[in-house]
Amino acid sequence: MAEENLIQRSIRRIYSNNKDLLRRIFFSIKNENVRNQILQAIPFWVASFLTGLVAVMYSLIFGWAEDVTSSILHGQRWLLFVVTPVCFVFAWWLVNKYSPYSRGSGIPQVMASIELANPKENHLIKGFLSLKVIVVKIASSALMVMGGGVIGREGPTIQIASSVFESINNMLPSWWPKISRKNVIVAGAASGLAAAFNTPLGGIVFAVEELAKTHISYFRTALFTAVIIAGLTAQGLAGPYLYLGYPNLQNLTAFVFVGIILVGVIAGMGGAYMGRAILQMLAFMKSVKKGNRVFYVISFALIVASFGYFLGEDAIGSGKEVMTSTLFSDDKNVEWYTPIVRGFGQLFSFSTGASGGIFAPSLSVGASVGSVMAQWLELSASNTNMLILAGMVAFLTGVTRSPFTSAILVLEMTDRHNVIFHLMLAGMLAGAAATLIDRKSIYDRLKDQYLDQVRKG
């Protein structure tokens, strides 16, 4: 693409003009160990800084696209039946035409890249992580959410960040000390999640729990550095914000644990069923002739548009409004069908094959599950908030099978450390319940599919 070529030419021109100077400076350091440590650290510093910049830019684009949808919902709502199909088809076309492995969340592609980070298969990573992936990922997901797609930007940010790290690593000259490619990709993914949610601990835990297959001592310095620099860069541009805010969790009663247990099991199983349904829908779409897929994309778009037209803002979009309204408004109730509608919206949006993540939508489904359960149990406002947070952790765990990452993310989004054990309980129950549906997460299933595809050529 033209954008990618321009970026590549600019970076290579800057490097070629200064490579001799850089080489003289670093080889003037007499201690070889010190010199190598500095040289190995620099790519992580540069990539982390760029990740923070790109993450903030992406969040602004994504937010602007959501504002377009909101203006349609509060204006001429019937326009959804025009805007949504157009956006969905164009988003799908971009991925299908220019970067097929930019589809979906991006996390399975990063997981596959980590497995391919070996001398025999390094060349296969290019399809998953590149400058082209960054451009297509941002454009496609922004179009999807502009059309009301039930997707998030957090998973895509992880693939984007790993692409930034991989691109910087590929530009290093031959004399540069070798850097573990696996460490580069893992650090990129962690920094991407940290910058997307402003959750540094969540990024680290995600890298250890979901991505890393080696002991953390082998890459902890690179990982911590990447998360810190990317997070600070994002904070410097966007401010030290909380993704959600400070919900009231005072005066929790012992009875709230009954709700947490119920929500943990129900939402965990719901997340697992969601992953299974998406996999089945993707398999169906793969069986459809390429020329006919556009008709299914349009059909999915019209279904999502119908949700928005008849049920309003709670039914479409990334779902952040659902989370904030249930946690912070006086009326914490949602309709009993909200989790179901948002779940189907997530299913149809993800199944188009365009770009878009499932982190934020999964959190919103979990939040609505917790709200509905709190209504049935007739809980107080603070206990209701606790069940909403527990539902968020549980549903995300059911999808990802990463209970600790889910708990830490929700903890950092709300800065409510007094309920960490409540959140971990919800995550552990959800993880156990989800394994009854499927032993593997949707990420693992998709990762295996991607590996088969690239290895077979």
Side-chain angles (χ1 to χ4, degrees):
M1 294 178 70
E3 294 92 340
E4 181 189 9
N5 292 334
L6 178 61
I7 294 171
Q8 286 180 322
R9 287 198 303 269
S10 299
I11 293 175
R12 293 189 185 281
R13 188 180 299 113
I14 293 171
Y15 165 69
S16 62
N17 291 339
N18 295 279
K19 63 180 181 179
D20 292 335
L21 176 61
L22 288 172
R23 187 171 183 173
R24 287 198 300 271
I25 290 173
F26 290 119
F27 274 90
S28 67
I29 301 174
K30 302 302 181 182
N31 189 302
E32 184 177 355
N33 290 331
V34 173
R35 183 175 66 237
N36 287 342
Q37 287 178 9
I38 294 174
L39 288 173
Q40 288 181 326
I42 287 174
F44 288 96
W45 297 343
V46 173
S48 302
F49 176 73
L50 292 176
T51 292
L53 292 176
V54 175
V56 171
M57 179 196 71
Y58 181 31
S59 69
L60 293 174
I61 294 172
F62 202 87
W64 172 81
E66 287 189 300
D67 290 341
V68 172
T69 309
S70 181
S71 65
I72 293 174
L73 284 169
H74 293 96
Q76 303 295 325
R77 190 173 289 192
W78 61 268
L79 281 174
L80 284 174
F81 293 105
V82 177
V83 174
T84 302
V86 170
C87 287
F88 273 42
V89 169
F90 195 25
W92 164 78
W93 175 81
L94 275 175
V95 170
N96 191 60
K97 175 73 173 178
Y98 294 106
S99 182
Y101 291 118
S102 295
R103 64 180 177 266
S105 164
I107 294 175
Q109 292 92 316
V110 172
M111 295 168 68
S113 299
I114 292 170
E115 288 206 20
L116 294 172
N118 59 75
K120 293 183 178 180
E121 298 179 306
N122 273 336
H123 62 285
L124 298 176
I125 296 176
K126 185 178 181 181
F128 296 132
L129 306 175
S130 67
L131 294 175
K132 181 188 291 185
V133 167
I134 296 174
V135 176
V136 174
K137 200 81 179 179
I138 293 174
S140 178
S141 58
L143 282 168
M144 282 293 291
V145 80
M146 186 186 297
V150 186
I151 62 163
R153 62 177 170 84
E154 293 74 28
T157 305
I158 290 171
Q159 188 180 12
I160 289 168
S162 292
S163 294
V164 171
F165 274 69
E166 173 70 3
S167 298
I168 293 297
N169 188 52
N170 288 338
M171 293 176 186
L172 298 178
S174 58
W175 53 266
W176 207 280
K178 298 301 180 185
I179 302 173
S180 167
R181 207 160 185 179
K182 181 180 293 186
N183 290 357
V184 168
I185 298 170
V186 171
S191 67
L193 185 60
F197 275 129
N198 191 27
T199 52
L201 289 178
I204 293 170
V205 174
F206 171 75
V208 175
E209 184 178 26
E210 187 69 52
L211 300 178
K213 304 300 181 185
T214 56
H215 197 278
I216 190 173
S217 62
Y218 293 108
F219 65 99
R220 62 186 178 191
T221 301
L223 176 64
F224 292 172
T225 301
V227 167
I228 291 169
I229 294 177
L232 287 176
T233 302
Q235 278 193 8
L237 295 172
Y241 66 95
L242 283 180
Y243 187 83
L244 292 177
Y246 303 93
N248 176 23
L249 295 172
Q250 295 179 346
N251 302 317
L252 296 177
T253 63
F255 185 69
V256 77
F257 284 101
V258 175
I260 291 173
I261 293 171
L262 290 172
V263 168
V265 173
I266 294 171
M269 296 180 72
Y273 277 120
M274 169 62 66
R276 175 182 284 186
I278 290 175
L279 289 170
Q280 291 174 344
M281 188 69 81
L282 290 174
F284 167 74
M285 288 291 286
K286 189 176 180 180
S287 68
V288 175
K289 292 182 179 179
K290 289 185 178 181
N292 295 333
R293 290 178 190 173
V294 65
F295 298 107
Y296 286 96
V297 173
I298 293 172
S299 299
F300 296 160
L302 290 174
I303 293 172
V304 173
S306 298
F307 290 164
Y309 182 83
F310 291 108
L311 303 176
E313 202 164 9
D314 283 355
I316 61 176
S318 67
K320 186 175 181 180
E321 289 297 323
V322 175
M323 291 181 267
T324 54
S325 64
T326 53
L327 284 171
F328 301 107
S329 65
D330 293 333
D331 182 11
K332 297 182 175 299
N333 299 334
V334 297
E335 300 294 341
W336 63 268
Y337 52 75
T338 300
I340 300 172
V341 171
R342 286 204 61 81
F344 275 105
Q346 184 175 349
L347 171 64
F348 290 121
S349 299
F350 199 84
S351 299
T352 61
S355 294
I358 54 179
F359 262 57
S362 295
L363 291 171
S364 67
V365 174
S368 55
V369 169
S371 175
V372 170
M373 185 62 66
Q375 294 173 49
W376 291 347
L377 296 176
E378 298 182 350
L379 298 182
S380 65
S382 60
N383 285 334
T384 297
N385 282 345
M386 184 65 253
L387 256 60
I388 291 168
L389 297 183
M392 292 165 61
V393 172
F395 198 89
L396 184 59
T397 298
V399 174
T400 65
R401 309 302 165 81
S402 304
F404 296 110
T405 298
S406 302
I408 295 300
L409 283 175
V410 173
L411 174 70
E412 289 192 283
M413 289 175 190
T414 56
D415 196 22
R416 286 295 179 255
H417 298 80
N418 60 309
V419 296
I420 180 60
F421 298 111
H422 303 66
L423 299 179
M424 290 176 66
L425 173 63
M428 294 300 293
L429 289 170
T435 57
L436 300 175
I437 312 304
D438 193 339
R439 287 188 175 184
K440 288 187 175 183
S441 72
I442 182 176
Y443 291 157
D444 286 316
R445 298 289 185 190
L446 289 175
K447 177 202 72 175
D448 293 339
Q449 292 178 19
Y450 289 142
L451 287 172
D452 288 340
Q453 290 174 23
V454 297
R455 283 169 173 164
K456 291 178 181 178

